[in-house]
Amino acid sequence: QVQLVESGGGLVQAGGSLRLSCAASGSIFSINVMGWYRQAPGKQRELVAHISSGGIINYADSVKDRFTISRDSVKKMVYLQMNSLKPEDTAVYYCAYWMMLARGDPKYWGQGTQVTVSS
């Protein structure tokens, strides 16, 4: 099993920045994908970004020019740097893990961290 723990959420003014962190532990395979989902009240869960162990990155169009995903495979950490935040970025952000390929639902989830962006 893999355990994921997010941190770094909070309240920020529009235009500001936050950096989310996800610490992974457990049976982590060398070949994997880690990423971030978000879910706002009344909306579907949305894939924000993911990054493979080989460094391949994908972003949602809504965040592509503002967010940066990165990882440290030695520390077993994944990060989401969020810049130029907008009120519509307000959501609970979840760290996610796939074994080998990011196809279908993630294998494991974190508990989530709240991000609130004020006007």
Side-chain angles (χ1 to χ4, degrees):
Q1 290 189 324
V2 173
Q3 296 80 44
L4 306 171
V5 180
E6 303 98 332
S7 62
L11 176 64
V12 65
Q13 197 170 33
S17 298
L18 285 173
R19 183 178 176 87
L20 305 183
S21 299
C22 174
S25 62
S27 301
I28 302 168
F29 293 164
S30 296
I31 301 174
N32 61 72
V33 178
M34 298 186 68
W36 295 90
Y37 282 80
R38 66 185 182 185
Q39 188 166 27
K43 296 184 178 181
Q44 293 185 20
R45 184 182 292 117
E46 175 189 26
L47 178 62
V48 177
H50 58 74
I51 180 169
S52 74
S53 51
I56 305 300
I57 295 172
N58 290 100
Y59 294 102
D61 288 342
S62 59
V63 308
K64 187 174 292 183
D65 58 340
R66 299 181 295 120
F67 291 10
T68 302
I69 189 170
S70 61
R71 64 185 293 161
D72 184 334
S73 294
V74 174
K75 295 181 178 180
K76 300 178 181 179
M77 300 283 291
V78 63
Y79 308 95
L80 187 68
Q81 179 67 46
M82 305 185 294
N83 298 325
S84 302
L85 283 162
K86 304 174 181 179
E88 51 262 44
D89 295 318
T90 296
V92 177
Y93 284 71
Y94 298 90
C95 186
Y97 170 95
W98 297 258
M99 184 182 297
M100 297 190 71
L101 296 173
R103 292 196 288 189
D105 292 335
K107 183 70 172 180
Y108 298 101
W109 296 87
Q111 294 298 307
T113 185
Q114 176 72 48
V115 172
T116 302
V117 184
S118 63
S119 300

